[in-house]
Amino acid sequence: MSTVFSRGREPLFNSPGNNKRRFNLSRYFAVISLIGIFVFVVASTYLYRNIAISAIKDHQSRANVDLARAFANSIWPRYQSFVTTKAAQLSSKELRDHVEIEKLKNDVDSQMQGLNVVKVKIYNLDGLTVFSTDPGQIGIDNKHNPRFTLARIGKIASEIELQNIRDDQQDEIEHTVLSSYIPIRKAENMPVDAVFELYTDVTELVTRLDETQKQITLGVIISFISLYLFLFAIIKRADKIIKSQDKKYNTDIETIRKHAYHDQLTGLANRTNFHACLDDATKRAKRSGDLLALVVIDIDRFKLVNESLGYDAGDELLRVIASRLPSCVRETDSIYRLGGDEFAIILEKVAHPEDIALVARRVLEALSSPIHIKTNEIIINTSIGISLTNQGHSDAYSLVKEADIAMMNAKGDGGNRFIYFTGELNAIAYDRLTMETDLRNAVSNNEFVLYYQPKILTSTNEIVGVEALIRWQHPDKGLVPPNDFIPLLENTGLINQVGEWVLRTACRQNKQWQDAGHPPVKMAVNISARQFRSESIVTCVRQALYDTGLDPKYLELELTESLFVENVEKAIRTMILLKDIGVYIAIDDFGTGYSSLNYLRQFPVDVLKIDRTFIRDLTTNPKDIAIAKAISTMASSLNMGVIAEGVEDMRQVSILKDNGCNEVQGFLYSKPVAANEIEEFLATGRMLPILTKVKSA
Ligand code: C2E
Ligand code: MG
Ligand code: MG
């Protein structure tokens, strides 16, 4: 079945997934990993370059030191005194033009031949440039150069730098050079005599390094991009899976949410939804001052459909009802299934209270047209209770309570109607509540009594039996008739306890009469539907007979017709067990039920009791005569006894006699009376003085 979730405001929450934007894995991965790759490439390039440069520096510095030593060994002895002492006394110009410098240059040039040394400088310990292969620099003071200072105290200091160096054509070309300041001393542990500065050309090395670095960087980038693309493909796939799972999750959440807030059978909003929406609606109505109405709808005798036609039919019926309700209300009104056969409508912004009557009437009408389920045509009635916010209460709880009370009253008044809640109804509901408490006390205080009504054989006016009828001796209200409290006993489940008491008391009473020497009569005991359905009914009857010593053939159980349409198989089983005990079974109020006559063939029934409604107008209504006759004929052909109840008139007796019914029960002979009165009747030879008794009743 496809379920259409409809009508009824959506619940007050949204699924968490609806508000939050979904985490986008691919985008997250793309951004983060690109940044990561970029940072890694830059950092690793930088690191690689630093390491390579420092390796070049180390290597070349060592080479420079070796070179410097070679220079020193070959030329230093010749020039030492000039550099360390003489040079300081000359001006820059004198120094540049000095013959020693000329010689030194030639020596250095010949030494530099074939090497990658591009410049050589010699400083005295005061930092004066005594010699330079670049003559323009001779005489320059270099004492503040930090690397010179380091070399002066015996340390080697190198640095890679860019230098413009003249080529053979005297063009200045930018070279990458490593310049090293190297201390010069005669022997290893001797003091420093002067400082050499050697420039070696590392342009080629650095260019090669740059080339390699470019290749490595490119390689790294390509590897990373490949890895990135590979991972991106995986991530994209993972993202797709997550997305589809996310979608499924959201759909699941949506379904769960719908199931939590909607009734699956009818698709209407459910009770949980109802409470949330009503709460909201009452608050809105309170703020705006608008009239809000709650309409509670209950199907009359729905249980009967369920139990006679099966639960499938019951479900189908509910679906049909739910489908008919929307046509009765405005688009803005919301419909709910509260559970079982109960529905509710919330009507907001009602212009006039009378408008609700229109809706209620529409509902009654819509639901009363025949419903076809399988091969059956079902006609249902509904009881509707209405409560409004403008009656002083505006909270949801009161609205529900009041609509329920009104609905119960509509049901109590026979159903198929709607009732507005009034304060008066509240009093009735209150009465019902106190009655319930009183009833519970009545059970423990033994406030119930049995009255007995004789059953007469019209041919002889003999008492052939009595029916035990319960009364409640209420401490304030006096004698309360059974119709006022039996339904409540049924609803509260107290009926089982009270019913057992009735059975025992009636059996004991009958036995007492017999023990007192009165001619034996049959004792009829009414068994309610709930009592009959209870597991203990058979044991209860057997035990009552056993405990009181009454012969089962003097006990007759009066069952109502409605029992026979509810779970037929179980009813047959129970009746057979009861029959096995030896008691009689009568069908009470025969003709008022809704069941088919089919059951009569299947059930082990002994007696039919024609209902009072057919007897009442017997003298005036020929149709009632026909019914009484039909029932009597049917009973006799099915080998059953027949008795008419509610006989108040001698003419009714003669009509019944003429139509084959010879047993009667009614006020004509006697109202239900206390046990001692029955004893009197029995003592007078079971002859009932009709007229005198009726007069005195
Ligand atoms: P019922 O079993 O059909 O009992 C017959 C009812 O019709 C009795 O009402 C009786 O007083 C009344 N009645 C008898 N003859 C006449 C008559 O000529 N005219 C009129 N107007 N009424 C007559 P009662 O005692 O008020 O009992 C009402 C119903 O309460 C009973 O109907 C029965 O269904 C139920 N009831 C009574 N006692 C018990 C009980 O112990 N257990 C159960 N489960 N139900 C009981
Ligand atoms: Mg009865
Ligand atoms: Mg009856």
Side-chain angles (χ1 to χ4, degrees), residues 450 453 467-471 481-483 486 490 495 502 525-528 531 558 560 588-589 609 611-612 645-648 665-668 670 672:
L450 286 190
Q453 189 177 32
E467 179 178 6
L469 295 158
I470 195 170
R471 270 94 184 93
N483 285 337
I486 293 273
E490 284 246 354
I495 192 72
V502 172
V525 172
N526 292 285
I527 302 289
S528 83
Q531 207 183 343
E558 292 193 3
T560 55
D588 208 351
D589 309 335
K609 282 189 87 175
D611 190 65
R612 207 170 67 214
E645 59 181 358
V647 175
E648 295 182 354
Q665 174 185 350
F667 292 175
L668 174 66
S670 168

Tab-separated table of all heavy atoms in Angstrom, residues 450 453 467-471 481-483 486 490 495 502 525-528 531 558 560 588-589 609 611-612 645-648 665-668 670 672, ligand 1:
chain	number	residue	atom	x	y	z
A	450	LEU	N	-29.370	-8.606	44.924
A	450	LEU	CA	-30.041	-9.210	43.773
A	450	LEU	C	-31.549	-9.174	43.984
A	450	LEU	O	-32.044	-9.459	45.078
A	450	LEU	CB	-29.587	-10.658	43.587
A	450	LEU	CG	-28.180	-10.885	43.025
A	450	LEU	CD1	-27.980	-12.361	42.679
A	450	LEU	CD2	-27.945	-10.039	41.781
A	453	GLN	N	-36.928	-11.671	39.169
A	453	GLN	CA	-38.192	-11.490	38.447
A	453	GLN	C	-38.660	-12.849	37.929
A	453	GLN	O	-37.896	-13.556	37.257
A	453	GLN	CB	-38.009	-10.519	37.283
A	453	GLN	CG	-39.351	-10.150	36.650
A	453	GLN	CD	-39.206	-9.128	35.520
A	453	GLN	OE1	-38.204	-9.127	34.819
A	453	GLN	NE2	-40.236	-8.309	35.356
A	467	GLU	N	-35.334	-14.518	37.025
A	467	GLU	CA	-34.106	-13.906	36.498
A	467	GLU	C	-33.497	-13.051	37.595
A	467	GLU	O	-34.191	-12.219	38.194
A	467	GLU	CB	-34.404	-13.045	35.271
A	467	GLU	CG	-33.141	-12.386	34.732
A	467	GLU	CD	-33.357	-11.538	33.476
A	467	GLU	OE1	-34.521	-11.347	33.068
A	467	GLU	OE2	-32.349	-11.060	32.917
A	468	ALA	N	-32.228	-13.287	37.869
A	468	ALA	CA	-31.543	-12.495	38.892
A	468	ALA	C	-31.127	-11.169	38.272
A	468	ALA	O	-30.467	-11.146	37.234
A	468	ALA	CB	-30.318	-13.244	39.404
A	469	LEU	N	-31.539	-10.075	38.879
A	469	LEU	CA	-31.212	-8.741	38.348
A	469	LEU	C	-30.559	-7.916	39.455
A	469	LEU	O	-31.126	-7.767	40.544
A	469	LEU	CB	-32.478	-8.064	37.824
A	469	LEU	CG	-33.100	-8.777	36.619
A	469	LEU	CD1	-34.579	-8.434	36.478
A	469	LEU	CD2	-32.357	-8.439	35.329
A	470	ILE	N	-29.427	-7.419	39.142
A	470	ILE	CA	-28.644	-6.751	40.180
A	470	ILE	C	-29.129	-5.321	40.431
A	470	ILE	O	-29.639	-4.653	39.525
A	470	ILE	CB	-27.144	-6.741	39.790
A	470	ILE	CG1	-26.262	-6.402	40.982
A	470	ILE	CG2	-26.884	-5.812	38.624
A	470	ILE	CD1	-24.782	-6.605	40.720
A	471	ARG	N	-28.974	-4.853	41.663
A	471	ARG	CA	-29.230	-3.463	42.040
A	471	ARG	C	-28.096	-3.022	42.953
A	471	ARG	O	-27.479	-3.849	43.632
A	471	ARG	CB	-30.561	-3.307	42.822
A	471	ARG	CG	-31.769	-3.048	41.953
A	471	ARG	CD	-32.476	-4.349	41.629
A	471	ARG	NE	-33.600	-4.203	40.715
A	471	ARG	CZ	-33.493	-4.344	39.386
A	471	ARG	NH1	-32.339	-4.616	38.827
A	471	ARG	NH2	-34.565	-4.230	38.620
A	481	PRO	N	-30.535	1.391	39.504
A	481	PRO	CA	-30.811	0.319	38.535
A	481	PRO	C	-29.548	-0.088	37.762
A	481	PRO	O	-28.646	0.737	37.584
A	481	PRO	CB	-31.848	0.928	37.601
A	481	PRO	CG	-31.691	2.390	37.741
A	481	PRO	CD	-31.164	2.653	39.121
A	482	PRO	N	-29.507	-1.320	37.274
A	482	PRO	CA	-28.274	-1.830	36.636
A	482	PRO	C	-27.820	-1.056	35.408
A	482	PRO	O	-26.629	-0.929	35.174
A	482	PRO	CB	-28.622	-3.274	36.278
A	482	PRO	CG	-30.095	-3.367	36.361
A	482	PRO	CD	-30.553	-2.338	37.327
A	483	ASN	N	-28.784	-0.536	34.626
A	483	ASN	CA	-28.363	0.179	33.416
A	483	ASN	C	-27.497	1.397	33.735
A	483	ASN	O	-26.753	1.879	32.889
A	483	ASN	CB	-29.582	0.622	32.602
A	483	ASN	CG	-30.194	-0.572	31.876
A	483	ASN	OD1	-29.497	-1.570	31.645
A	483	ASN	ND2	-31.479	-0.497	31.561
A	486	ILE	N	-23.927	-0.877	35.127
A	486	ILE	CA	-23.314	-2.046	34.451
A	486	ILE	C	-22.286	-1.599	33.394
A	486	ILE	O	-21.171	-2.126	33.362
A	486	ILE	CB	-24.386	-2.966	33.827
A	486	ILE	CG1	-25.230	-3.618	34.920
A	486	ILE	CG2	-23.762	-4.025	32.909
A	486	ILE	CD1	-24.720	-4.908	35.506
A	490	GLU	N	-18.405	-2.601	33.290
A	490	GLU	CA	-17.763	-3.211	32.112
A	490	GLU	C	-16.489	-2.465	31.756
A	490	GLU	O	-15.447	-3.062	31.541
A	490	GLU	CB	-18.718	-3.153	30.909
A	490	GLU	CG	-19.823	-4.172	30.959
A	490	GLU	CD	-19.692	-5.194	29.828
A	490	GLU	OE1	-18.818	-5.015	28.984
A	490	GLU	OE2	-20.458	-6.168	29.837
A	495	ILE	N	-16.631	-5.761	36.326
A	495	ILE	CA	-17.736	-6.664	36.030
A	495	ILE	C	-17.397	-8.125	36.350
A	495	ILE	O	-18.275	-8.882	36.783
A	495	ILE	CB	-18.196	-6.516	34.553
A	495	ILE	CG1	-19.533	-7.237	34.305
A	495	ILE	CG2	-17.154	-7.034	33.587
A	495	ILE	CD1	-20.709	-6.587	34.912
A	502	VAL	N	-22.597	-12.219	41.559
A	502	VAL	CA	-23.991	-12.432	41.140
A	502	VAL	C	-24.242	-13.935	40.956
A	502	VAL	O	-25.232	-14.486	41.474
A	502	VAL	CB	-24.304	-11.666	39.830
A	502	VAL	CG1	-25.686	-12.037	39.298
A	502	VAL	CG2	-24.220	-10.167	40.046
A	525	VAL	N	-29.197	-16.040	35.048
A	525	VAL	CA	-28.196	-15.027	35.433
A	525	VAL	C	-27.670	-14.363	34.161
A	525	VAL	O	-27.338	-15.038	33.192
A	525	VAL	CB	-27.036	-15.678	36.231
A	525	VAL	CG1	-25.910	-14.680	36.457
A	525	VAL	CG2	-27.531	-16.230	37.563
A	526	ASN	N	-27.653	-13.021	34.190
A	526	ASN	CA	-27.133	-12.288	33.024
A	526	ASN	C	-25.599	-12.295	33.036
A	526	ASN	O	-24.977	-12.029	34.053
A	526	ASN	CB	-27.613	-10.831	33.058
A	526	ASN	CG	-29.108	-10.740	32.831
A	526	ASN	OD1	-29.587	-10.901	31.718
A	526	ASN	ND2	-29.853	-10.519	33.914
A	527	ILE	N	-25.065	-12.613	31.883
A	527	ILE	CA	-23.597	-12.618	31.768
A	527	ILE	C	-23.225	-11.521	30.770
A	527	ILE	O	-23.709	-11.521	29.632
A	527	ILE	CB	-23.081	-13.980	31.233
A	527	ILE	CG1	-23.528	-15.140	32.132
A	527	ILE	CG2	-21.558	-13.976	31.049
A	527	ILE	CD1	-22.854	-15.205	33.490
A	528	SER	N	-22.385	-10.591	31.205
A	528	SER	CA	-22.025	-9.475	30.307
A	528	SER	C	-20.979	-9.936	29.294
A	528	SER	O	-20.318	-10.958	29.488
A	528	SER	CB	-21.478	-8.298	31.102
A	528	SER	OG	-20.118	-8.519	31.358
A	531	GLN	N	-17.496	-10.309	30.658
A	531	GLN	CA	-17.441	-11.462	31.564
A	531	GLN	C	-17.349	-12.756	30.753
A	531	GLN	O	-16.559	-13.639	31.064
A	531	GLN	CB	-18.737	-11.444	32.373
A	531	GLN	CG	-18.661	-12.078	33.720
A	531	GLN	CD	-20.046	-12.051	34.363
A	531	GLN	OE1	-20.936	-11.304	33.930
A	531	GLN	NE2	-20.227	-12.872	35.382
A	558	GLU	N	-27.932	-15.987	30.651
A	558	GLU	CA	-28.488	-15.122	29.595
A	558	GLU	C	-27.340	-14.338	28.954
A	558	GLU	O	-26.664	-13.558	29.611
A	558	GLU	CB	-29.530	-14.167	30.184
A	558	GLU	CG	-30.777	-14.893	30.647
A	558	GLU	CD	-31.947	-13.943	30.946
A	558	GLU	OE1	-31.803	-12.724	30.731
A	558	GLU	OE2	-32.993	-14.447	31.402
A	560	THR	N	-26.019	-11.881	25.675
A	560	THR	CA	-26.594	-10.952	24.687
A	560	THR	C	-26.109	-11.323	23.287
A	560	THR	O	-25.044	-11.904	23.120
A	560	THR	CB	-26.225	-9.478	24.984
A	560	THR	OG1	-24.828	-9.420	25.059
A	560	THR	CG2	-26.878	-8.974	26.229
A	588	ASP	N	-30.492	-13.278	25.286
A	588	ASP	CA	-31.271	-12.168	25.836
A	588	ASP	C	-31.520	-11.121	24.752
A	588	ASP	O	-30.750	-11.023	23.795
A	588	ASP	CB	-30.442	-11.548	26.981
A	588	ASP	CG	-31.330	-10.901	28.022
A	588	ASP	OD1	-32.532	-10.780	27.779
A	588	ASP	OD2	-30.782	-10.528	29.082
A	589	ASP	N	-32.562	-10.340	24.928
A	589	ASP	CA	-32.860	-9.215	24.020
A	589	ASP	C	-32.799	-9.651	22.560
A	589	ASP	O	-32.287	-8.908	21.700
A	589	ASP	CB	-31.867	-8.063	24.254
A	589	ASP	CG	-31.776	-7.676	25.718
A	589	ASP	OD1	-32.750	-7.915	26.451
A	589	ASP	OD2	-30.722	-7.159	26.127
A	609	LYS	N	-34.949	-15.121	24.097
A	609	LYS	CA	-35.795	-14.181	24.855
A	609	LYS	C	-36.158	-13.029	23.938
A	609	LYS	O	-35.298	-12.227	23.570
A	609	LYS	CB	-35.037	-13.639	26.065
A	609	LYS	CG	-34.951	-14.604	27.235
A	609	LYS	CD	-34.375	-13.908	28.475
A	609	LYS	CE	-35.459	-13.233	29.293
A	609	LYS	NZ	-34.924	-12.682	30.535
A	611	ASP	N	-37.052	-9.647	22.705
A	611	ASP	CA	-36.787	-8.376	23.381
A	611	ASP	C	-38.069	-7.587	23.641
A	611	ASP	O	-39.038	-7.657	22.868
A	611	ASP	CB	-35.821	-7.540	22.537
A	611	ASP	CG	-35.349	-6.338	23.309
A	611	ASP	OD1	-34.658	-6.530	24.327
A	611	ASP	OD2	-35.701	-5.199	22.920
A	612	ARG	N	-37.991	-6.794	24.694
A	612	ARG	CA	-39.140	-6.010	25.149
A	612	ARG	C	-39.665	-5.047	24.075
A	612	ARG	O	-40.857	-4.765	24.012
A	612	ARG	CB	-38.708	-5.212	26.374
A	612	ARG	CG	-39.803	-4.881	27.293
A	612	ARG	CD	-39.261	-4.322	28.572
A	612	ARG	NE	-38.626	-3.027	28.370
A	612	ARG	CZ	-37.576	-2.631	29.052
A	612	ARG	NH1	-37.035	-3.429	29.957
A	612	ARG	NH2	-37.064	-1.446	28.848
A	645	GLU	N	-40.098	-11.041	27.029
A	645	GLU	CA	-39.850	-10.220	28.228
A	645	GLU	C	-40.529	-8.868	28.071
A	645	GLU	O	-40.802	-8.417	26.964
A	645	GLU	CB	-38.356	-10.074	28.509
A	645	GLU	CG	-37.535	-9.457	27.408
A	645	GLU	CD	-36.055	-9.364	27.759
A	645	GLU	OE1	-35.668	-9.737	28.873
A	645	GLU	OE2	-35.297	-8.911	26.883
A	646	GLY	N	-40.851	-8.279	29.231
A	646	GLY	CA	-41.489	-6.961	29.212
A	646	GLY	C	-42.997	-7.037	28.994
A	646	GLY	O	-43.594	-6.108	28.442
A	647	VAL	N	-43.608	-8.136	29.407
A	647	VAL	CA	-45.058	-8.285	29.225
A	647	VAL	C	-45.786	-7.538	30.346
A	647	VAL	O	-45.555	-7.780	31.527
A	647	VAL	CB	-45.457	-9.775	29.231
A	647	VAL	CG1	-46.970	-9.934	29.170
A	647	VAL	CG2	-44.787	-10.470	28.063
A	648	GLU	N	-46.634	-6.572	29.934
A	648	GLU	CA	-47.289	-5.734	30.952
A	648	GLU	C	-48.808	-5.826	30.855
A	648	GLU	O	-49.531	-5.209	31.633
A	648	GLU	CB	-46.857	-4.268	30.747
A	648	GLU	CG	-45.370	-4.059	30.990
A	648	GLU	CD	-44.946	-2.602	30.836
A	648	GLU	OE1	-45.789	-1.771	30.424
A	648	GLU	OE2	-43.779	-2.307	31.130
A	665	GLN	N	-42.307	-12.971	30.853
A	665	GLN	CA	-41.693	-12.337	32.023
A	665	GLN	C	-42.056	-10.872	31.919
A	665	GLN	O	-41.903	-10.276	30.852
A	665	GLN	CB	-40.170	-12.530	31.943
A	665	GLN	CG	-39.366	-11.817	33.007
A	665	GLN	CD	-37.853	-11.962	32.762
A	665	GLN	OE1	-37.439	-12.762	31.901
A	665	GLN	NE2	-37.056	-11.211	33.484
A	666	GLY	N	-42.572	-10.306	32.974
A	666	GLY	CA	-42.906	-8.891	32.865
A	666	GLY	C	-43.660	-8.391	34.080
A	666	GLY	O	-44.025	-9.165	34.978
A	667	PHE	N	-43.871	-7.076	34.076
A	667	PHE	CA	-44.517	-6.425	35.222
A	667	PHE	C	-45.945	-6.915	35.434
A	667	PHE	O	-46.510	-6.767	36.504
A	667	PHE	CB	-44.528	-4.907	35.025
A	667	PHE	CG	-43.148	-4.282	35.085
A	667	PHE	CD1	-42.975	-2.921	34.825
A	667	PHE	CD2	-42.038	-5.043	35.433
A	667	PHE	CE1	-41.717	-2.341	34.894
A	667	PHE	CE2	-40.770	-4.462	35.494
A	667	PHE	CZ	-40.603	-3.110	35.227
A	668	LEU	N	-46.527	-7.487	34.338
A	668	LEU	CA	-47.892	-8.011	34.468
A	668	LEU	C	-47.946	-9.009	35.617
A	668	LEU	O	-48.901	-9.028	36.387
A	668	LEU	CB	-48.312	-8.696	33.152
A	668	LEU	CG	-49.646	-9.423	33.176
A	668	LEU	CD1	-50.811	-8.442	33.374
A	668	LEU	CD2	-49.870	-10.212	31.894
A	670	SER	N	-44.990	-9.738	37.775
A	670	SER	CA	-44.242	-9.199	38.917
A	670	SER	C	-43.050	-8.393	38.433
A	670	SER	O	-42.409	-8.741	37.441
A	670	SER	CB	-43.730	-10.355	39.794
A	670	SER	OG	-42.784	-9.862	40.716
A	672	PRO	N	-39.165	-7.111	39.276
A	672	PRO	CA	-38.113	-7.810	40.009
A	672	PRO	C	-38.283	-7.501	41.493
A	672	PRO	O	-38.481	-6.338	41.862
A	672	PRO	CB	-36.821	-7.196	39.461
A	672	PRO	CG	-37.200	-6.603	38.150
A	672	PRO	CD	-38.613	-6.153	38.301
B	1	C2E	P1	-32.409	-7.775	30.895
B	1	C2E	O1	-31.541	-8.909	31.176
B	1	C2E	O2	-33.062	-7.726	29.589
B	1	C2E	O3	-33.446	-7.694	32.033
B	1	C2E	C1	-34.736	-7.352	31.877
B	1	C2E	C2	-34.933	-5.932	32.216
B	1	C2E	O4	-36.218	-5.570	31.830
B	1	C2E	C3	-34.892	-5.674	33.738
B	1	C2E	O5	-34.410	-4.393	33.956
B	1	C2E	C4	-36.340	-5.723	34.132
B	1	C2E	O6	-36.619	-4.959	35.293
B	1	C2E	C5	-36.943	-5.071	32.936
B	1	C2E	N1	-38.330	-5.513	32.802
B	1	C2E	C6	-38.850	-6.724	33.000
B	1	C2E	N2	-40.178	-6.719	32.762
B	1	C2E	C7	-40.491	-5.470	32.397
B	1	C2E	C8	-41.734	-4.870	32.006
B	1	C2E	O7	-42.797	-5.456	31.977
B	1	C2E	N3	-41.687	-3.557	31.664
B	1	C2E	C9	-40.511	-2.869	31.706
B	1	C2E	N4	-40.533	-1.594	31.382
B	1	C2E	N5	-39.333	-3.419	32.082
B	1	C2E	C10	-39.332	-4.725	32.412
B	1	C2E	P2	-33.289	-4.099	34.956
B	1	C2E	O8	-33.422	-4.939	36.168
B	1	C2E	O9	-33.245	-2.650	35.116
B	1	C2E	O10	-32.046	-4.625	34.184
B	1	C2E	C11	-31.631	-4.015	33.044
B	1	C2E	C12	-30.561	-4.783	32.400
B	1	C2E	O11	-29.384	-4.784	33.196
B	1	C2E	C13	-30.828	-6.229	32.198
B	1	C2E	O12	-31.610	-6.411	31.054
B	1	C2E	C14	-29.497	-6.817	32.054
B	1	C2E	O13	-29.057	-6.669	30.749
B	1	C2E	C15	-28.684	-5.948	32.945
B	1	C2E	N6	-28.459	-6.648	34.210
B	1	C2E	C16	-29.217	-6.758	35.280
B	1	C2E	N7	-28.612	-7.489	36.225
B	1	C2E	C17	-27.449	-7.895	35.714
B	1	C2E	C18	-26.393	-8.711	36.221
B	1	C2E	O14	-26.408	-9.252	37.327
B	1	C2E	N8	-25.351	-8.885	35.393
B	1	C2E	C19	-25.320	-8.335	34.154
B	1	C2E	N9	-24.238	-8.533	33.410
B	1	C2E	N10	-26.272	-7.586	33.657
B	1	C2E	C20	-27.361	-7.375	34.431
